[in-house]
Structures are given as structure tokens and as C-alpha cells.
Amino acid sequence: MKIAEVLCQVLRMTRIERKTSACQDAVLVRVRTDDGIEGVGEADSSPEVVRAVVNAPYSHNVACGLRELLVGENPLETERLWHKMYRGTQYFGRTSVTVSAMAAVDMALWDIKGKFFGQPIHRLLGGKRHDRIPAYASILFGRDGSETRDIGRRWVDAGYRAVKFGWEPMGPSESLDLELVRGAREGIGGAATLLIDAGCAWDTRTALRRAQLFAQFNIGWLEEPLQQANVEGYAWLRDRSPVPIAAGEGECGAEAFRPLIERRALDVYQVDLARNGFTDAMYIRRRVEEIGARVCNHFYTSAVTAAASLHWLSTAQEAFLFEDCVEDSPLRHELTIEKIQAVDGEIAVPDRPGLGVTINEDFVRATLVS
């Protein structure tokens, strides 16, 4: 069996809002074999940039598009192909969007492998430890405390026992930040887990002050209070914070995670399968568990990444929470025939071969840009 085609499709909603949401457009990578098996993967990045990485022609041996590197190869040899892609793109890759494009390919290759062997991916990764995982509703803040309170109430009423609020308008104003977190806690009640995503808002000392102020609301973690590249700042903050510190969603590949892990900079390492793929995500998970920290998935795109995240997270020693994007976006809910979403606060791990999802071709045709 050989790879016959690598297709990159950009999808986009008709109306794009000015907000921090990766659920408005998408890039699908579809890898097809010469005996008719198709695997699908998704990258969480700028779709057009990912497409350029996949489609780029040969320049020289370490600056080559992914399609050029893959056609004619055996799709079952996932680790070898990961290293071939890494080597063949090292002049424009290594820890960047190139690795995110590789992640989409890697996801598709594992989907093919699962379909070829008739097994769910989690079994090929070594076996799941969890059939169902507690999920948190992941959503953006409202404009103020009152709107945030209403949003929180909605998702607790929907059955979630944990809710995360993120990004703007958090950051510039301490008083508004406190209002937002207070509104969030009031909305979800005292029993539910409250998670706060600051969206890379502060310097280290400001982040420590916010962590101290937010502790009164019993938050489960403070996510990305600093810029993503500030490894030393995260290590400094984690040593002093009264609440757990989470980050990692923007990191692409093992090389990007290595400094965070070696410095033991975080309490929770958030791994996005659409930026890391299965091959590197399994390595990252093992390293994080070795240092006694926790992993959680990051996911704010379609059900393709939701399914991939579940296969990966189910193999962890402690799958304590699953990030479940609850954006009211057709891309989140209609790209696949299967609905991958929590019910009564828990989400089931897929058990069909490969990723266990089927692309809705009508939706693809309706949203296809190119």
C-alpha cells in the first residue's frame, strides 16, 4: 500500500467575526492510498498557510512541501514519515506552522492505519485507560460579568460540571478581570469547576497578582497568563502561584514542549492534536507524566480534532478533563456525520476503526474555498 494523493481543503464560514475563535474556518488534509483508503486530519492554524506547506514544490532536500515528501510512501510507517517530514522541512519548520501541517498529515496517516487494521487509534497507541472522560465546556467570556454569568449558567444547565472562560475582554483592567471571574463563578455555582484562560494577557508580576486575586473564586487553573514563549516566566510564576498554571496550546511538536517540560514550568500541559499529531503527542504525554504533571487536550476546531484528542487523551494515566469546544458554529458540529460532544458532563471515546468519524461531504462542498 502506498500514498497516492495528499489533498488539502480550506473551509470557511460565510460570516467571519472579529474574535479569538478557531471555529470559523478550517483546513482538512486528506491522504488517499492506492488501494482506496482515505485518512483525514486537521491543522489548527491559518488554513492558507498550512495549504502552502502541504502544496509547496521541491526547493531542496530540507525545504520541500509535504506532498512531495509523502506520495509513494507506505502510510503505515507513521514514525518514519514524521521524521522524514521534519527533516525535509527543517529550513522553514521545526516548531512552527509547518509542524501543525505535519500534525494534520500525521492524524490522517493514523486514521489510515486504524482503518487498515480495523482498530480504533487508541488501541494502536497502546490502549485506552478510560472509556469516558469528564468534559469542560470551553467558551469565550461575555462582555462583562453579567453576560459571563449568563453564559456559565447556560452550560451548567446543559449538564457540564466544569466550564472554562477565555480571552477578551480579560487583560487590561484589574477591576473588569475580577468582575468577569466573579460573574463566571456566580453563573456556574459553587460546585462546578471554574477554569480561566487569560489569553496571554500579562507580564509575570501582574499574572501573579491576578492569580492571587482569582484564588478566592476557587479556580481550577489559570491558563496562559503569559506570552507563550516566556518559559522562564512560567517557571517563576508556577513556583509562586496559589492556583495551578496551564499552558501549551500554541506549541507545535516535541521541540516546542521540551523547554516547558525540562523547566517543570506548568501544572497542566495542554496539547493540541491539530498542532502536534499523534506521533509527537504520545512522546509529550509520556514526558509530562514522567515529571509528575498533568496533560489535557486543547481543542477549539471541529469534531475531527475532538475525536483525535479523545483517542490520545484516553491513553493517559489521568485523563482528568477534556476540553470540549461549545461554540455555536456549524464547523464545530456539522463537518462530521457523527456528533462528538459531551452528554451530561462526560464524553465518550470513539471505538470505530481509525478516528471513528465520517466527513460530511455536503458540508465540505458548501464551505469549500479551495
Side-chain angles (χ1 to χ4, degrees):
M1 180 170 62
K2 294 183 178 180
I3 296 171
E5 183 180 10
V6 181
L7 177 66
C8 198
Q9 295 179 316
V10 174
L11 314 178
R12 183 167 290 113
M13 299 295 95
T14 304
R15 182 168 173 264
I16 300 291
E17 297 181 44
R18 296 287 181 178
K19 64 178 183 177
T20 309
S21 172
C23 214
Q24 304 189 91
D25 58 10
V27 56
L28 278 185
V29 172
R30 308 175 78 152
V31 179
R32 294 165 178 163
T33 70
D34 57 1
D35 59 356
I37 302 177
E38 178 181 89
V40 297
E42 179 178 26
D44 188 353
S45 185
S46 170
E48 282 78 5
V49 178
V50 170
R51 181 176 58 187
V53 172
V54 173
N55 292 348
Y58 177 88
S59 177
H60 56 80
N61 285 344
V62 289
C64 188
L66 299 185
R67 178 183 292 110
E68 289 272 349
L69 294 166
L70 292 165
V71 170
E73 291 282 3
N74 185 332
L76 304 181
E77 298 177 359
T78 47
E79 185 162 357
R80 184 181 68 81
L81 292 183
W82 179 270
H83 289 292
K84 182 178 184 181
M85 289 189 288
Y86 192 83
R87 169 73 176 171
T89 61
Q90 70 180 35
Y91 267 28
F92 59 91
R94 306 213 317 267
T95 59
S96 71
V97 64
T98 300
V99 179
S100 185
M102 289 168 50
V105 170
D106 186 71
M107 197 184 295
L109 295 178
W110 280 92
D111 191 26
I112 289 172
K113 186 185 288 191
K115 291 170 179 174
F116 179 81
F117 289 111
Q119 299 292 333
I121 289 172
H122 58 72
R123 189 160 296 141
L124 303 180
L125 296 175
K128 66 178 177 179
R129 304 179 189 214
H130 314 272
D131 294 318
R132 304 180 69 82
I133 302 173
Y136 70 83
S138 185
I139 196 67
L140 303 178
F141 281 111
R143 289 168 294 184
D144 52 27
S146 176
E147 189 170 271
T148 300
R149 183 188 309 117
D150 292 342
I151 293 169
R153 220 172 260 140
R154 172 187 176 185
W155 294 110
V156 169
D157 289 347
Y160 288 91
R161 297 184 290 276
V163 183
K164 184 177 83 181
F165 300 85
W167 289 78
E168 59 270 355
M170 177 159 277
S173 166
E174 182 176 289
S175 61
L176 178 57
D177 291 349
L178 280 168
E179 178 188 335
L180 290 168
V181 177
R182 183 178 290 108
R185 174 52 77 192
E186 290 172 356
I188 70 172
T193 298
L194 173 60
L195 308 170
I196 299 298
D197 181 353
C200 312
W202 307 302
D203 61 83
T204 50
R205 291 197 178 277
T206 304
L208 177 59
R209 175 168 170 79
R210 292 295 201 278
Q212 292 165 340
L213 291 171
F214 294 168
Q216 65 185 296
F217 300 106
N218 190 28
I219 66 172
W221 73 49
L222 178 58
E223 179 177 332
E224 287 205 319
L226 311 177
Q227 292 297 310
Q228 292 175 341
N230 190 357
V231 175
E232 292 302 316
Y234 274 110
W236 183 93
L237 178 63
R238 181 191 175 244
D239 285 346
R240 294 162 176 79
S241 173
V243 299
I245 301 298
E249 68 175 67
E251 306 308 323
C252 298
E255 288 297 323
F257 270 96
R258 185 170 287 114
L260 290 164
I261 295 169
E262 289 180 348
R263 290 290 285 113
R264 289 164 168 74
L266 306 172
D267 296 291
V268 180
Y269 291 77
Q270 298 169 296
V271 181
D272 195 318
L273 270 289
R275 294 193 180 109
N276 292 273
F278 288 107
T279 300
D280 260 19
M282 289 301 290
Y283 169 81
I284 294 162
R285 193 216 79 199
R286 287 191 293 269
R287 289 288 292 114
V288 170
E289 289 176 344
E290 283 173 3
I291 66 169
R294 288 170 150 184
V295 293
C296 185
N297 69 300
H298 173 266
F299 148 61
Y300 215 79
T301 46
S302 81
V304 173
T305 299
S309 302
L310 284 164
H311 285 284
W312 169 76
L313 190 58
S314 73
T315 70
Q317 294 175 13
E318 183 185 7
F320 72 109
L321 276 178
F322 175 86
E323 178 167 22
D324 193 9
C325 170
V326 293
E327 280 274 347
D328 292 328
S329 166
L331 182 61
R332 167 65 183 93
H333 302 289
E334 298 177 28
L335 180 57
T336 63
I337 302 299
E338 301 80 6
K339 188 174 179 64
I340 310 291
Q341 189 110 44
V343 177
D344 295 329
E346 291 189 334
I347 190 161
V349 178
D351 256 334
R352 293 170 53 209
L355 286 170
V357 295
T358 310
I359 297 297
N360 181 346
E361 301 296 350
D362 290 338
F363 182 84
V364 170
R365 281 189 289 270
T367 58
L368 184 64
V369 175
S370 59

PDB file of all heavy atoms in Angstrom, residues 275-304:
ATOM      1  N   ARG A 275      -1.985  20.480  16.287  1.00  0.00           N
ATOM      2  CA  ARG A 275      -0.686  21.150  16.177  1.00  0.00           C
ATOM      3  C   ARG A 275       0.475  20.204  16.468  1.00  0.00           C
ATOM      4  O   ARG A 275       1.631  20.598  16.325  1.00  0.00           O
ATOM      5  CB  ARG A 275      -0.617  22.348  17.142  1.00  0.00           C
ATOM      6  CG  ARG A 275      -1.587  23.471  16.801  1.00  0.00           C
ATOM      7  CD  ARG A 275      -1.281  24.743  17.572  1.00  0.00           C
ATOM      8  NE  ARG A 275      -2.238  25.773  17.213  1.00  0.00           N
ATOM      9  CZ  ARG A 275      -3.199  26.227  18.025  1.00  0.00           C
ATOM     10  NH1 ARG A 275      -3.314  25.736  19.237  1.00  0.00           N
ATOM     11  NH2 ARG A 275      -4.035  27.151  17.613  1.00  0.00           N
ATOM     12  N   ASN A 276       0.168  18.977  16.900  1.00  0.00           N
ATOM     13  CA  ASN A 276       1.223  18.049  17.299  1.00  0.00           C
ATOM     14  C   ASN A 276       1.118  16.677  16.659  1.00  0.00           C
ATOM     15  O   ASN A 276       2.125  15.975  16.552  1.00  0.00           O
ATOM     16  CB  ASN A 276       1.235  17.902  18.814  1.00  0.00           C
ATOM     17  CG  ASN A 276       1.679  19.160  19.516  1.00  0.00           C
ATOM     18  OD1 ASN A 276       2.865  19.386  19.717  1.00  0.00           O
ATOM     19  ND2 ASN A 276       0.716  20.009  19.878  1.00  0.00           N
ATOM     20  N   GLY A 277      -0.090  16.272  16.237  1.00  0.00           N
ATOM     21  CA  GLY A 277      -0.253  14.940  15.684  1.00  0.00           C
ATOM     22  C   GLY A 277      -0.088  13.876  16.763  1.00  0.00           C
ATOM     23  O   GLY A 277       0.334  14.154  17.886  1.00  0.00           O
ATOM     24  N   PHE A 278      -0.435  12.646  16.431  1.00  0.00           N
ATOM     25  CA  PHE A 278      -0.332  11.562  17.398  1.00  0.00           C
ATOM     26  C   PHE A 278       1.119  11.222  17.722  1.00  0.00           C
ATOM     27  O   PHE A 278       1.465  10.940  18.872  1.00  0.00           O
ATOM     28  CB  PHE A 278      -1.029  10.305  16.863  1.00  0.00           C
ATOM     29  CG  PHE A 278      -2.521  10.401  16.845  1.00  0.00           C
ATOM     30  CD1 PHE A 278      -3.214  10.557  15.658  1.00  0.00           C
ATOM     31  CD2 PHE A 278      -3.253  10.330  18.020  1.00  0.00           C
ATOM     32  CE1 PHE A 278      -4.593  10.641  15.633  1.00  0.00           C
ATOM     33  CE2 PHE A 278      -4.635  10.412  18.020  1.00  0.00           C
ATOM     34  CZ  PHE A 278      -5.312  10.564  16.812  1.00  0.00           C
ATOM     35  N   THR A 279       1.985  11.248  16.721  1.00  0.00           N
ATOM     36  CA  THR A 279       3.349  10.764  16.908  1.00  0.00           C
ATOM     37  C   THR A 279       4.094  11.580  17.957  1.00  0.00           C
ATOM     38  O   THR A 279       4.687  11.026  18.881  1.00  0.00           O
ATOM     39  CB  THR A 279       4.100  10.755  15.565  1.00  0.00           C
ATOM     40  OG1 THR A 279       3.408   9.888  14.654  1.00  0.00           O
ATOM     41  CG2 THR A 279       5.521  10.262  15.729  1.00  0.00           C
ATOM     42  N   ASP A 280       4.052  12.899  17.846  1.00  0.00           N
ATOM     43  CA  ASP A 280       4.717  13.727  18.857  1.00  0.00           C
ATOM     44  C   ASP A 280       3.891  13.841  20.135  1.00  0.00           C
ATOM     45  O   ASP A 280       4.455  13.944  21.230  1.00  0.00           O
ATOM     46  CB  ASP A 280       5.025  15.112  18.296  1.00  0.00           C
ATOM     47  CG  ASP A 280       6.483  15.237  17.866  1.00  0.00           C
ATOM     48  OD1 ASP A 280       7.130  14.189  17.657  1.00  0.00           O
ATOM     49  OD2 ASP A 280       6.980  16.373  17.725  1.00  0.00           O
ATOM     50  N   ALA A 281       2.575  13.844  20.037  1.00  0.00           N
ATOM     51  CA  ALA A 281       1.734  13.987  21.233  1.00  0.00           C
ATOM     52  C   ALA A 281       1.938  12.831  22.203  1.00  0.00           C
ATOM     53  O   ALA A 281       1.877  13.014  23.426  1.00  0.00           O
ATOM     54  CB  ALA A 281       0.265  14.095  20.848  1.00  0.00           C
ATOM     55  N   MET A 282       2.181  11.620  21.676  1.00  0.00           N
ATOM     56  CA  MET A 282       2.428  10.490  22.567  1.00  0.00           C
ATOM     57  C   MET A 282       3.748  10.663  23.314  1.00  0.00           C
ATOM     58  O   MET A 282       3.845  10.373  24.513  1.00  0.00           O
ATOM     59  CB  MET A 282       2.422   9.184  21.781  1.00  0.00           C
ATOM     60  CG  MET A 282       1.051   8.775  21.289  1.00  0.00           C
ATOM     61  SD  MET A 282      -0.150   8.558  22.637  1.00  0.00           S
ATOM     62  CE  MET A 282       0.493   7.074  23.425  1.00  0.00           C
ATOM     63  N   TYR A 283       4.770  11.166  22.628  1.00  0.00           N
ATOM     64  CA  TYR A 283       6.045  11.438  23.291  1.00  0.00           C
ATOM     65  C   TYR A 283       5.865  12.510  24.373  1.00  0.00           C
ATOM     66  O   TYR A 283       6.358  12.364  25.501  1.00  0.00           O
ATOM     67  CB  TYR A 283       7.085  11.893  22.269  1.00  0.00           C
ATOM     68  CG  TYR A 283       8.353  12.435  22.890  1.00  0.00           C
ATOM     69  CD1 TYR A 283       9.349  11.567  23.340  1.00  0.00           C
ATOM     70  CD2 TYR A 283       8.542  13.807  23.042  1.00  0.00           C
ATOM     71  CE1 TYR A 283      10.503  12.065  23.925  1.00  0.00           C
ATOM     72  CE2 TYR A 283       9.688  14.301  23.631  1.00  0.00           C
ATOM     73  CZ  TYR A 283      10.667  13.433  24.074  1.00  0.00           C
ATOM     74  OH  TYR A 283      11.804  13.930  24.664  1.00  0.00           O
ATOM     75  N   ILE A 284       5.147  13.582  24.045  1.00  0.00           N
ATOM     76  CA  ILE A 284       4.926  14.672  25.000  1.00  0.00           C
ATOM     77  C   ILE A 284       4.172  14.159  26.220  1.00  0.00           C
ATOM     78  O   ILE A 284       4.529  14.474  27.363  1.00  0.00           O
ATOM     79  CB  ILE A 284       4.160  15.823  24.321  1.00  0.00           C
ATOM     80  CG1 ILE A 284       5.021  16.459  23.226  1.00  0.00           C
ATOM     81  CG2 ILE A 284       3.732  16.876  25.344  1.00  0.00           C
ATOM     82  CD1 ILE A 284       4.223  17.289  22.235  1.00  0.00           C
ATOM     83  N   ARG A 285       3.148  13.365  26.005  1.00  0.00           N
ATOM     84  CA  ARG A 285       2.368  12.826  27.122  1.00  0.00           C
ATOM     85  C   ARG A 285       3.244  12.014  28.071  1.00  0.00           C
ATOM     86  O   ARG A 285       3.186  12.163  29.293  1.00  0.00           O
ATOM     87  CB  ARG A 285       1.243  11.940  26.584  1.00  0.00           C
ATOM     88  CG  ARG A 285       0.177  11.571  27.614  1.00  0.00           C
ATOM     89  CD  ARG A 285      -0.336  10.163  27.395  1.00  0.00           C
ATOM     90  NE  ARG A 285       0.596   9.187  27.940  1.00  0.00           N
ATOM     91  CZ  ARG A 285       0.618   7.902  27.609  1.00  0.00           C
ATOM     92  NH1 ARG A 285      -0.205   7.422  26.697  1.00  0.00           N
ATOM     93  NH2 ARG A 285       1.492   7.085  28.176  1.00  0.00           N
ATOM     94  N   ARG A 286       4.082  11.165  27.511  1.00  0.00           N
ATOM     95  CA  ARG A 286       4.952  10.347  28.365  1.00  0.00           C
ATOM     96  C   ARG A 286       5.922  11.215  29.162  1.00  0.00           C
ATOM     97  O   ARG A 286       6.153  10.970  30.355  1.00  0.00           O
ATOM     98  CB  ARG A 286       5.723   9.331  27.515  1.00  0.00           C
ATOM     99  CG  ARG A 286       4.855   8.190  27.014  1.00  0.00           C
ATOM    100  CD  ARG A 286       5.699   7.072  26.412  1.00  0.00           C
ATOM    101  NE  ARG A 286       6.377   7.485  25.188  1.00  0.00           N
ATOM    102  CZ  ARG A 286       5.868   7.335  23.970  1.00  0.00           C
ATOM    103  NH1 ARG A 286       4.668   6.796  23.808  1.00  0.00           N
ATOM    104  NH2 ARG A 286       6.546   7.726  22.910  1.00  0.00           N
ATOM    105  N   ARG A 287       6.500  12.226  28.541  1.00  0.00           N
ATOM    106  CA  ARG A 287       7.449  13.106  29.243  1.00  0.00           C
ATOM    107  C   ARG A 287       6.763  13.885  30.353  1.00  0.00           C
ATOM    108  O   ARG A 287       7.322  14.036  31.450  1.00  0.00           O
ATOM    109  CB  ARG A 287       8.102  14.065  28.236  1.00  0.00           C
ATOM    110  CG  ARG A 287       9.077  13.413  27.305  1.00  0.00           C
ATOM    111  CD  ARG A 287      10.374  13.019  28.038  1.00  0.00           C
ATOM    112  NE  ARG A 287      11.123  14.208  28.439  1.00  0.00           N
ATOM    113  CZ  ARG A 287      11.339  14.590  29.689  1.00  0.00           C
ATOM    114  NH1 ARG A 287      10.865  13.880  30.687  1.00  0.00           N
ATOM    115  NH2 ARG A 287      12.030  15.677  29.962  1.00  0.00           N
ATOM    116  N   VAL A 288       5.566  14.373  30.100  1.00  0.00           N
ATOM    117  CA  VAL A 288       4.835  15.121  31.132  1.00  0.00           C
ATOM    118  C   VAL A 288       4.509  14.210  32.305  1.00  0.00           C
ATOM    119  O   VAL A 288       4.657  14.599  33.481  1.00  0.00           O
ATOM    120  CB  VAL A 288       3.553  15.747  30.547  1.00  0.00           C
ATOM    121  CG1 VAL A 288       2.674  16.315  31.655  1.00  0.00           C
ATOM    122  CG2 VAL A 288       3.912  16.846  29.549  1.00  0.00           C
ATOM    123  N   GLU A 289       4.077  13.005  32.026  1.00  0.00           N
ATOM    124  CA  GLU A 289       3.757  12.072  33.109  1.00  0.00           C
ATOM    125  C   GLU A 289       5.017  11.700  33.895  1.00  0.00           C
ATOM    126  O   GLU A 289       4.945  11.490  35.118  1.00  0.00           O
ATOM    127  CB  GLU A 289       3.080  10.827  32.541  1.00  0.00           C
ATOM    128  CG  GLU A 289       1.666  11.116  32.040  1.00  0.00           C
ATOM    129  CD  GLU A 289       0.987   9.930  31.384  1.00  0.00           C
ATOM    130  OE1 GLU A 289       1.694   8.947  31.029  1.00  0.00           O
ATOM    131  OE2 GLU A 289      -0.235   9.976  31.220  1.00  0.00           O
ATOM    132  N   GLU A 290       6.159  11.648  33.243  1.00  0.00           N
ATOM    133  CA  GLU A 290       7.412  11.325  33.936  1.00  0.00           C
ATOM    134  C   GLU A 290       7.761  12.360  34.997  1.00  0.00           C
ATOM    135  O   GLU A 290       8.365  12.021  36.023  1.00  0.00           O
ATOM    136  CB  GLU A 290       8.563  11.234  32.931  1.00  0.00           C
ATOM    137  CG  GLU A 290       8.591   9.945  32.130  1.00  0.00           C
ATOM    138  CD  GLU A 290       9.643   9.974  31.032  1.00  0.00           C
ATOM    139  OE1 GLU A 290      10.380  10.985  30.939  1.00  0.00           O
ATOM    140  OE2 GLU A 290       9.721   8.997  30.267  1.00  0.00           O
ATOM    141  N   ILE A 291       7.413  13.633  34.770  1.00  0.00           N
ATOM    142  CA  ILE A 291       7.748  14.671  35.746  1.00  0.00           C
ATOM    143  C   ILE A 291       6.627  14.898  36.751  1.00  0.00           C
ATOM    144  O   ILE A 291       6.699  15.806  37.574  1.00  0.00           O
ATOM    145  CB  ILE A 291       8.128  16.000  35.055  1.00  0.00           C
ATOM    146  CG1 ILE A 291       6.929  16.604  34.313  1.00  0.00           C
ATOM    147  CG2 ILE A 291       9.317  15.814  34.126  1.00  0.00           C
ATOM    148  CD1 ILE A 291       7.160  18.034  33.846  1.00  0.00           C
ATOM    149  N   GLY A 292       5.580  14.075  36.686  1.00  0.00           N
ATOM    150  CA  GLY A 292       4.510  14.152  37.669  1.00  0.00           C
ATOM    151  C   GLY A 292       3.512  15.268  37.436  1.00  0.00           C
ATOM    152  O   GLY A 292       2.786  15.668  38.364  1.00  0.00           O
ATOM    153  N   ALA A 293       3.446  15.777  36.219  1.00  0.00           N
ATOM    154  CA  ALA A 293       2.466  16.805  35.882  1.00  0.00           C
ATOM    155  C   ALA A 293       1.295  16.176  35.123  1.00  0.00           C
ATOM    156  O   ALA A 293       1.270  14.962  34.879  1.00  0.00           O
ATOM    157  CB  ALA A 293       3.109  17.911  35.050  1.00  0.00           C
ATOM    158  N   ARG A 294       0.328  17.000  34.751  1.00  0.00           N
ATOM    159  CA  ARG A 294      -0.874  16.516  34.079  1.00  0.00           C
ATOM    160  C   ARG A 294      -0.912  16.979  32.631  1.00  0.00           C
ATOM    161  O   ARG A 294      -0.385  18.055  32.300  1.00  0.00           O
ATOM    162  CB  ARG A 294      -2.132  17.050  34.786  1.00  0.00           C
ATOM    163  CG  ARG A 294      -2.425  16.424  36.128  1.00  0.00           C
ATOM    164  CD  ARG A 294      -3.530  17.191  36.818  1.00  0.00           C
ATOM    165  NE  ARG A 294      -4.321  16.343  37.700  1.00  0.00           N
ATOM    166  CZ  ARG A 294      -5.395  16.745  38.365  1.00  0.00           C
ATOM    167  NH1 ARG A 294      -5.815  18.004  38.249  1.00  0.00           N
ATOM    168  NH2 ARG A 294      -6.068  15.918  39.144  1.00  0.00           N
ATOM    169  N   VAL A 295      -1.569  16.164  31.788  1.00  0.00           N
ATOM    170  CA  VAL A 295      -1.862  16.594  30.426  1.00  0.00           C
ATOM    171  C   VAL A 295      -3.362  16.798  30.274  1.00  0.00           C
ATOM    172  O   VAL A 295      -4.166  16.158  30.952  1.00  0.00           O
ATOM    173  CB  VAL A 295      -1.378  15.586  29.353  1.00  0.00           C
ATOM    174  CG1 VAL A 295       0.129  15.516  29.308  1.00  0.00           C
ATOM    175  CG2 VAL A 295      -1.994  14.207  29.586  1.00  0.00           C
ATOM    176  N   CYS A 296      -3.705  17.709  29.386  1.00  0.00           N
ATOM    177  CA  CYS A 296      -5.083  17.904  28.953  1.00  0.00           C
ATOM    178  C   CYS A 296      -5.022  18.249  27.468  1.00  0.00           C
ATOM    179  O   CYS A 296      -4.004  18.762  26.992  1.00  0.00           O
ATOM    180  CB  CYS A 296      -5.754  19.026  29.734  1.00  0.00           C
ATOM    181  SG  CYS A 296      -7.528  19.252  29.379  1.00  0.00           S
ATOM    182  N   ASN A 297      -6.054  17.937  26.745  1.00  0.00           N
ATOM    183  CA  ASN A 297      -6.080  18.332  25.343  1.00  0.00           C
ATOM    184  C   ASN A 297      -6.428  19.809  25.211  1.00  0.00           C
ATOM    185  O   ASN A 297      -7.061  20.396  26.095  1.00  0.00           O
ATOM    186  CB  ASN A 297      -7.117  17.512  24.570  1.00  0.00           C
ATOM    187  CG  ASN A 297      -8.537  17.876  24.979  1.00  0.00           C
ATOM    188  OD1 ASN A 297      -8.896  17.740  26.156  1.00  0.00           O
ATOM    189  ND2 ASN A 297      -9.347  18.343  24.045  1.00  0.00           N
ATOM    190  N   HIS A 298      -6.001  20.419  24.117  1.00  0.00           N
ATOM    191  CA  HIS A 298      -6.558  21.694  23.681  1.00  0.00           C
ATOM    192  C   HIS A 298      -7.316  21.436  22.398  1.00  0.00           C
ATOM    193  O   HIS A 298      -6.858  20.692  21.528  1.00  0.00           O
ATOM    194  CB  HIS A 298      -5.479  22.745  23.427  1.00  0.00           C
ATOM    195  CG  HIS A 298      -6.030  23.995  22.811  1.00  0.00           C
ATOM    196  ND1 HIS A 298      -6.042  24.205  21.443  1.00  0.00           N
ATOM    197  CD2 HIS A 298      -6.629  25.071  23.364  1.00  0.00           C
ATOM    198  CE1 HIS A 298      -6.606  25.381  21.197  1.00  0.00           C
ATOM    199  NE2 HIS A 298      -6.973  25.920  22.343  1.00  0.00           N
ATOM    200  N   PHE A 299      -8.474  22.045  22.255  1.00  0.00           N
ATOM    201  CA  PHE A 299      -9.295  21.783  21.075  1.00  0.00           C
ATOM    202  C   PHE A 299     -10.334  22.881  20.939  1.00  0.00           C
ATOM    203  O   PHE A 299     -11.127  23.117  21.843  1.00  0.00           O
ATOM    204  CB  PHE A 299      -9.962  20.398  21.216  1.00  0.00           C
ATOM    205  CG  PHE A 299     -11.319  20.278  20.581  1.00  0.00           C
ATOM    206  CD1 PHE A 299     -11.480  20.459  19.223  1.00  0.00           C
ATOM    207  CD2 PHE A 299     -12.432  19.979  21.343  1.00  0.00           C
ATOM    208  CE1 PHE A 299     -12.727  20.358  18.640  1.00  0.00           C
ATOM    209  CE2 PHE A 299     -13.671  19.868  20.777  1.00  0.00           C
ATOM    210  CZ  PHE A 299     -13.834  20.059  19.423  1.00  0.00           C
ATOM    211  N   TYR A 300     -10.301  23.576  19.791  1.00  0.00           N
ATOM    212  CA  TYR A 300     -11.312  24.612  19.541  1.00  0.00           C
ATOM    213  C   TYR A 300     -11.635  24.669  18.052  1.00  0.00           C
ATOM    214  O   TYR A 300     -11.783  25.742  17.467  1.00  0.00           O
ATOM    215  CB  TYR A 300     -10.821  25.979  20.048  1.00  0.00           C
ATOM    216  CG  TYR A 300     -11.933  26.827  20.612  1.00  0.00           C
ATOM    217  CD1 TYR A 300     -12.414  26.607  21.894  1.00  0.00           C
ATOM    218  CD2 TYR A 300     -12.511  27.849  19.863  1.00  0.00           C
ATOM    219  CE1 TYR A 300     -13.432  27.382  22.417  1.00  0.00           C
ATOM    220  CE2 TYR A 300     -13.531  28.626  20.374  1.00  0.00           C
ATOM    221  CZ  TYR A 300     -13.990  28.392  21.654  1.00  0.00           C
ATOM    222  OH  TYR A 300     -15.010  29.170  22.167  1.00  0.00           O
ATOM    223  N   THR A 301     -11.717  23.494  17.429  1.00  0.00           N
ATOM    224  CA  THR A 301     -12.000  23.453  15.992  1.00  0.00           C
ATOM    225  C   THR A 301     -13.162  22.493  15.735  1.00  0.00           C
ATOM    226  O   THR A 301     -14.247  22.694  16.259  1.00  0.00           O
ATOM    227  CB  THR A 301     -10.730  23.053  15.215  1.00  0.00           C
ATOM    228  OG1 THR A 301     -10.108  21.932  15.867  1.00  0.00           O
ATOM    229  CG2 THR A 301      -9.727  24.187  15.165  1.00  0.00           C
ATOM    230  N   SER A 302     -12.958  21.451  14.925  1.00  0.00           N
ATOM    231  CA  SER A 302     -14.069  20.586  14.512  1.00  0.00           C
ATOM    232  C   SER A 302     -14.030  19.245  15.234  1.00  0.00           C
ATOM    233  O   SER A 302     -13.114  18.940  16.002  1.00  0.00           O
ATOM    234  CB  SER A 302     -14.008  20.348  13.001  1.00  0.00           C
ATOM    235  OG  SER A 302     -13.067  19.330  12.700  1.00  0.00           O
ATOM    236  N   ALA A 303     -15.013  18.413  14.917  1.00  0.00           N
ATOM    237  CA  ALA A 303     -15.096  17.082  15.521  1.00  0.00           C
ATOM    238  C   ALA A 303     -13.954  16.169  15.088  1.00  0.00           C
ATOM    239  O   ALA A 303     -13.694  15.156  15.744  1.00  0.00           O
ATOM    240  CB  ALA A 303     -16.440  16.441  15.179  1.00  0.00           C
ATOM    241  N   VAL A 304     -13.261  16.497  14.005  1.00  0.00           N
ATOM    242  CA  VAL A 304     -12.091  15.706  13.603  1.00  0.00           C
ATOM    243  C   VAL A 304     -11.035  15.772  14.703  1.00  0.00           C
ATOM    244  O   VAL A 304     -10.513  14.742  15.162  1.00  0.00           O
ATOM    245  CB  VAL A 304     -11.521  16.204  12.258  1.00  0.00           C
ATOM    246  CG1 VAL A 304     -10.211  15.493  11.931  1.00  0.00           C
ATOM    247  CG2 VAL A 304     -12.539  15.993  11.136  1.00  0.00           C
TER     248      VAL A 304
END
